[in-house]
Amino acid sequence: MAPAAANYYSAPPHAHQKQRGYRICDTCGAVENPVAQKFRLCGGCMTTQYCSTECQKSHWPSHKTICQHTAAQMSGAKQQAIGPAYPDENLAKYLRKFTSTHSSLLGWAGFQALQLKRLPANIRQSALLIELSYNAHAESLYRFSVANTHIVSRTFVTSHDPLVAADISRREERCRRSGGIGTLVILVQCGGISQVMPVEVDPPSKISWDPRDDWAEVLRHFVESGRTDFKPISTTARGVVYG
């Protein structure tokens, strides 16, 4: 099978190189172009991102509750004894940074894992659980490795936290109003700390990514190589497209 990404075999980045995964504004849906303008992360939850101060301000009334809830969870996680296998009190912060940095790769893996190209209805019933192992590495890109992946019932994520479930529902309604199929739910977990990543998904007809059965291997390869430059391959009527 051909590689799933145009740059699959590229050398891992050197430690001094700063790389970012692309981000999407949670208000207007604009895609980040780091060369022109870097998006800002919400300082409270450290997960939601915005293209401008205006978008951040206009989103605050609907974002406030989930933001404060997420920030409180993170603060509580810092105060807990995580255990001998996860001794770093900043683990919750690192996990949120990991999710933001690898948003493109994680979204692609979730789309492939749930086979949404062929079975879009799976988005309402299933979620992708990614279990990570923590590595006490000085470089942030090498602090996690993929221990396991599972397809779980979506209620496994939504039934534990009503505020998270409400935020996912809000995104789902917005996505369907704009013609999408709904919100893909990805749960990233390390020890007892977890991060929910909701991804609003366009209709499969608008997504040209090639279906891949080796998505878990690709996910592991890019994470453990410290790579944030994932560019999936798509086969279209115009030929092969990268990114």
Side-chain angles (χ1 to χ4, degrees):
M1 181 180 281
N7 52 350
Y8 187 92
Y9 294 114
S10 301
H14 296 296
H16 67 274
Q17 289 181 311
K18 298 290 184 181
Q19 298 195 45
R20 294 161 60 92
Y22 80 80
R23 293 171 171 165
I24 297 176
C25 178
D26 198 69
T27 302
C28 69
V31 178
E32 180 190 52
N33 179 359
V35 176
Q37 178 190 16
K38 292 181 179 179
F39 282 11
R40 61 183 65 210
L41 277 178
C42 171
C45 64
M46 295 181 62
T47 55
T48 304
Q49 49 248 346
Y50 302 101
C51 66
S52 65
T53 304
E54 291 73 23
C55 274
Q56 186 169 9
K57 287 180 178 178
S58 67
H59 189 233
W60 178 244
S62 61
H63 179 58
K64 180 179 179 180
T65 302
I66 188 66
C67 177
Q68 293 176 342
H69 176 64
T70 304
Q73 284 185 320
M74 184 165 62
S75 178
K78 286 182 178 179
Q79 297 171 21
Q80 295 176 22
I82 299 171
Y86 306 98
D88 200 315
E89 65 176 6
N90 291 311
L91 183 60
K93 176 182 176 181
Y94 295 156
L95 190 62
R96 281 161 173 76
K97 184 176 181 180
F98 170 90
T99 304
S100 175
T101 299
H102 290 288
S103 59
S104 175
L105 174 64
L106 296 174
W108 175 88
F111 184 87
Q112 300 292 353
L114 271 60
Q115 302 179 59
L116 297 182
K117 186 82 170 179
R118 187 168 60 89
L119 300 168
N122 284 349
I123 201 169
R124 301 187 185 96
Q125 301 153 357
S126 302
L128 173 62
L129 167 62
I130 300 173
E131 295 179 345
L132 301 177
S133 297
Y134 176 62
N135 310 308
H137 200 286
E139 292 294 327
S140 62
L141 292 177
Y142 299 96
R143 287 194 179 124
F144 294 102
S145 54
V146 178
N148 224 324
T149 57
H150 309 275
I151 308 300
V152 298
S153 169
R154 185 160 156 163
T155 57
F156 178 83
V157 179
T158 58
S159 63
H160 290 81
D161 194 323
L163 285 177
V164 170
D167 184 60
I168 291 171
S169 295
R170 176 186 65 82
R171 294 171 183 271
E172 190 126 59
E173 290 172 10
R174 179 176 67 182
C175 179
R176 288 180 179 161
R177 281 198 305 269
S178 62
I181 62 171
T183 301
L184 165 64
V185 177
I186 301 169
L187 179 64
V188 184
Q189 197 168 60
C190 186
I193 298 177
S194 60
Q195 171 69 49
V196 177
M197 177 182 166
V199 181
E200 294 171 47
V201 180
D202 286 332
S205 60
K206 291 186 177 181
I207 300 176
S208 56
W209 292 336
D210 292 349
R212 303 290 304 199
D213 294 328
D214 60 343
W215 59 267
E217 177 188 335
V218 175
L219 172 66
R220 186 172 286 107
H221 170 81
F222 274 85
V223 169
E224 296 177 8
S225 299
R227 303 277 298 280
T228 62
D229 56 343
F230 175 70
K231 296 178 182 178
I233 291 179
S234 302
T235 303
T236 70
R238 295 179 287 112
V240 177
V241 178
Y242 305 112

